[in-house]
Amino acid sequence: ESDMSLFFRFCPFPIYAITGTRGKSTTTALLGEMFKGVHPKTVVAGNISRSPLEDLDWLLEEKESVPVVLELSSWQIESLENIDRAPEIGVLTNIFPDHLNRYASLEAYAESKLQLFRHCKGEQKAILNADHEMVRVMSGQICCKKYWFSENQTVHDGVFLRDGQIICAVEGKEHVLGDTATMALKGTHNLLNALAASLSAHLAGVPADAIS
């Protein structure tokens, strides 16, 4: 067991989890802030430096649902192997060579990330980086409903950029979720993080004004 496996066992509320080699801390923080605009008690924890067990006692006493946003490292995901639960929404930001002193190959490291979606069922969702070749190739191993975020291309079932706006296209309908000109975080990497967080929040029911 780990603190993460115990939390997944006992947390009564929806879990939204972010993993990847880069960008997962920023994406986790962004999604947490989007949720807090609607649910002030939102929990943000995990690899971002706070154990979710610190919040479990009071969560178990809550009557209303509280969103939980977790950043997960590959080894935290590995500790969930025997937990028959997946996040309501799981985000994979990207996969780059990393921790290869621990894993036999890049492919083995990537497989550890994909285990986040191992127990997906029902209406649970995966949010994936359409601009990252390895993510696209390995997405066939993910069985739940897949959504995409992209800086470079128009995607169906996901978010993309058009004339400086973040466009969400889901189920044949388009929504504007934000304007890149108003973003405080600069840089292409943060734009991708914002796309991933915005799509996650939208699919979780967060209104566009809280996302923006």
Side-chain angles (χ1 to χ4, degrees):
E1 298 281 2
S2 68
D3 62 339
M4 202 58 67
S5 66
L6 290 169
F7 187 80
F8 266 70
R9 285 188 190 279
F10 296 111
C11 176
F13 301 128
I15 293 174
Y16 305 92
I18 296 90
T19 194
T21 307
R22 302 173 190 164
K24 57 184 179 292
S25 295
T26 303
T27 303
T28 300
L30 282 170
L31 182 56
E33 290 303 311
M34 292 170 183
F35 268 121
K36 286 176 182 179
V38 182
H39 304 281
K41 291 185 177 181
T42 296
V43 170
V44 181
N47 199 55
I48 202 166
S49 79
R50 178 182 176 83
S51 171
L53 288 186
E54 294 186 34
D55 296 287
L56 185 57
D57 284 349
W58 69 263
L59 285 171
L60 291 171
E61 296 179 354
E62 284 292 311
K63 305 303 181 188
E64 301 293 329
S65 183
V66 177
V68 177
V69 183
L70 299 178
E71 177 191 340
L72 298 184
S73 67
S74 54
W75 43 89
Q76 285 173 322
I77 294 170
E78 288 172 356
S79 76
L80 304 177
E81 181 178 3
N82 297 313
I83 308 299
D84 187 21
R85 180 179 184 179
E88 296 308 302
I89 295 175
V91 180
L92 179 57
T93 59
N94 47 56
I95 300 171
F96 292 103
D98 200 10
H99 301 299
L100 297 185
N101 58 331
R102 176 185 172 93
Y103 295 96
S105 64
L106 175 59
E107 289 72 24
Y109 169 64
E111 287 286 350
S112 73
K113 296 295 189 186
L114 290 184
Q115 296 313 303
L116 179 64
F117 309 99
R118 168 175 31 209
H119 297 296
C120 278
K121 55 179 73 73
E123 296 300 312
Q124 292 174 331
K125 303 172 179 68
I127 293 178
L128 308 170
N129 187 343
D131 297 341
H132 200 288
E133 182 179 2
M134 193 166 202
V135 173
R136 293 196 311 271
V137 168
M138 302 191 76
S139 67
Q141 300 180 43
I142 298 173
C143 296
C144 60
K145 175 67 175 174
K146 293 183 275 283
Y147 297 84
W148 301 89
F149 61 95
S150 174
E151 179 196 12
N152 301 319
Q153 57 188 297
T154 299
V155 296
H156 307 288
D157 285 330
V159 294
F160 58 94
L161 298 179
R162 179 193 293 151
D163 299 326
Q165 292 183 316
I166 297 175
I167 306 296
C168 178
V170 176
E171 297 177 352
K173 299 179 180 178
E174 288 192 0
H175 309 271
V176 177
L177 297 183
D179 190 318
T180 59
T182 63
M183 285 179 54
L185 293 173
K186 303 303 180 185
T188 298
H189 58 297
N190 280 321
L191 182 55
L192 288 168
N193 297 334
L195 290 171
S198 298
L199 178 55
S200 305
H202 175 75
L203 293 176
V206 176
D209 58 342
I211 295 172
S212 181

